[in-house]
Amino acid sequence: MTEVRDHQVVVIGGGNGGISVAARLRRRGVDDIAVIEPRDRHVYQPLLSHVAGGVARLSETVRDQADVIPPGVTWIHDAVTAIDPESSTVQLGDGGRVRYGQLIVSPGIHHEWDAVPGAREARASGRVASHYDPAGAAALSPMLRDLRSGTVVFTQPDEPSSCPGAAQKPMYLACDYWRAHGVRDGIRVLFVTAKDSPSGMAHIDAELSRVIERYGIEVRYGSRVRAVDSTAGTLEIEGPHGSETVAFDVADIVPPQSAPPWLRNTGLAAHDDPGGFVEVDPRTLRHARYANVWSLGDAAGTRNAKSGGALRKQTYVVAENVAAAVRGEAPAQEYDGYTVCPYTVSRRSVVWAEFDEAGRPKPTIPFWRGMYRESRLSWVFDRHILPWVYWNLILTGRV
């Protein structure tokens, strides 16, 4: 007989969003919470770009999943294969089912490697990697460090994608390293981005354009990598003026992204959303059709740019609203669309970009205009302070 478990609140995903919201709910007095997460290791994603760029160790980014599960929260160490919102049940990989009172969906995002012909195979070639996962970041670091001449390609995918600006960070870190070692002039650096400018925000574009000029980076705006041939060492780029084939020595390829495939078949996505993201009210983060379903983070169909900075505000809103729902009250908190992307532009400076879903500046300190200028202080905060805050305050539901 299939096992059926019951929990007042079920959280799908043990990443930043899932763990943080579960911890916040515990602090608000919700006792019966289960987190469903199949992975044994928890990753601090923002630091992977620093690993790829050679200014952080991989060991700094990972901890045992068991160590970050909040006290009093049940960890269901399995994968979700389906959700039936009509019967309020979740199907697990082992055949079991979990019945929920309130469901929070935060499983992260799926990398569509097969959407770029040859890209998946190219990752085994020794000269193609993606720093958006731990193994890829660790592999990319020596590729960039040991290069002394040739062509390097960095790519940034279409949105929606997870922290798209992070695609640029290893590029700037590598350029700074090569320049310090006197080899920058012998390396062609090509940046391929689907955007029409470095960030899409005028005040941030001004800062990043100076950085791009400083390093002599070639940019293909409004462009995408359409195919990779790792045997020939070439990739095909399609842009506003047609296609070009580029020979490369190293490539950091970030593929198109979507909601996890199993999530698309649950009925939780909007009918016209090809990415399969959970259809939510962008303010309350409650599902548009199922009142006991909520979503946040990369899998949520919100209007903001997806990032860990957005999650910090979203976890507060969801925790408050779910706690209210458990008490039989109406949700009162609203997410304001805030997100943040620290652009690491050298091995000692960061451009700190805070903005809303329309790309308008939304600084934490409104009167300090220098917040979005290239800054050493922002580097110290992003590289050294934020990781400590993440492990000790964010994941414990304190901030």
Side-chain angles (χ1 to χ4, degrees):
M1 183 175 179
T2 302
E3 180 185 4
V4 180
R5 309 181 223 187
D6 288 275
H7 290 280
Q8 190 174 45
V9 178
V10 171
V11 181
I12 297 176
N16 180 350
I19 295 299
S20 300
V21 78
R24 286 185 184 273
L25 283 167
R26 285 290 293 134
R27 290 181 175 277
R28 281 151 184 78
V30 180
D31 294 325
D32 184 12
I33 306 169
V35 171
I36 306 174
E37 171 56 57
R39 292 170 296 186
D40 294 310
R41 304 284 274 171
H42 183 98
V43 179
Y44 177 50
Q45 193 77 22
L47 210 56
L48 292 181
S49 56
H50 291 77
V51 172
V55 293
R57 299 183 306 276
L58 186 62
S59 59
E60 296 178 69
T61 71
V62 293
R63 293 192 180 179
D64 288 340
Q65 186 70 33
D67 293 340
V68 301
I69 299 292
V73 171
T74 300
W75 176 22
I76 300 176
H77 193 184
D78 203 344
V80 173
T81 59
I83 302 171
D84 182 357
E86 298 294 340
S87 63
S88 295
T89 56
V90 173
Q91 184 76 39
L92 301 178
D94 67 359
R97 290 188 298 153
V98 183
R99 196 159 35 223
Y100 57 83
Q102 302 289 324
L103 177 68
I104 301 172
V105 184
S106 185
I109 209 160
H110 176 68
H111 289 184
E112 298 277 3
W113 282 103
D114 294 329
V116 181
R120 183 183 296 277
E121 297 79 6
R123 299 179 74 188
S125 68
R127 52 182 173 182
V128 174
S130 175
H131 72 279
Y132 274 51
D133 64 74
L140 184 62
S141 181
M143 294 183 200
L144 300 176
R145 180 196 65 210
D146 297 340
L147 194 70
R148 291 297 178 265
S149 63
T151 297
V152 184
V153 179
F154 295 88
T155 75
Q156 180 171 319
D158 285 303
E159 294 186 54
S161 58
S162 181
C163 199
Q168 301 179 36
K169 298 179 186 181
M171 176 175 68
Y172 300 136
L173 288 167
C175 285
D176 195 28
Y177 174 85
W178 292 325
R179 193 171 64 166
H181 286 76
V183 298
R184 173 65 193 88
D185 291 344
I187 299 173
R188 180 191 182 194
V189 181
L190 183 62
F191 176 46
V192 181
T193 175
K195 286 183 174 291
D196 295 324
S197 68
S199 73
M201 297 168 287
H203 62 299
I204 303 300
D205 284 345
E207 291 293 296
L208 297 182
S209 293
R210 281 193 287 270
V211 174
I212 288 169
E213 183 178 1
R214 180 169 81 211
Y215 292 134
I217 297 169
E218 294 180 46
V219 185
R220 298 291 186 271
Y221 291 116
S223 301
R224 297 155 183 83
V225 173
R226 291 305 190 196
V228 182
D229 186 336
S230 56
T231 302
T234 60
L235 50 81
E236 182 183 342
I237 301 171
E238 182 181 319
H241 306 295
S243 299
E244 64 175 311
T245 299
V246 175
F248 69 90
D249 296 276
V250 174
D252 179 12
I253 294 182
V254 185
Q257 296 166 35
S258 68
W262 61 264
L263 185 56
R264 303 180 207 179
N265 301 319
T266 60
L268 295 180
H271 298 303
D272 59 351
D273 181 4
F277 297 96
V278 179
E279 183 184 12
V280 294
D281 179 317
R283 295 302 179 215
T284 65
L285 303 177
R286 192 177 212 167
H287 196 273
R289 288 170 281 118
Y290 298 99
N292 65 339
V293 176
W294 312 75
S295 186
L296 70 159
D298 290 350
T302 51
R303 297 189 293 254
N304 61 282
K306 300 178 185 298
S307 77
L311 266 175
R312 185 176 61 82
K313 294 223 173 184
Q314 290 177 1
T315 57
Y316 170 79
V317 170
V318 171
E320 292 290 333
N321 287 343
V322 170
V326 168
R327 297 191 300 267
E329 301 170 4
Q333 296 298 321
E334 293 191 345
Y335 170 55
D336 62 3
Y338 170 91
T339 193
V340 59
C341 180
Y343 287 88
T344 308
V345 295
S346 79
R347 300 169 87 80
R348 59 195 172 277
S349 61
V350 161
V351 172
W352 194 264
E354 295 178 287
F355 49 98
D356 65 14
E357 66 263 38
R360 296 170 299 213
K362 198 173 182 64
T364 301
I365 308 175
F367 58 82
W368 186 10
R369 295 182 60 82
M371 279 288 289
Y372 61 81
R373 304 290 188 190
E374 183 177 354
S375 165
R376 169 70 175 175
L377 179 61
S378 294
W379 160 265
V380 173
F381 186 73
D382 181 51
R383 173 62 187 88
H384 298 290
I385 297 176
L386 266 184
W388 184 91
V389 170
Y390 180 78
W391 295 115
N392 295 280
L393 301 180
I394 292 176
L395 290 187
T396 57
R398 291 181 168 89
V399 297

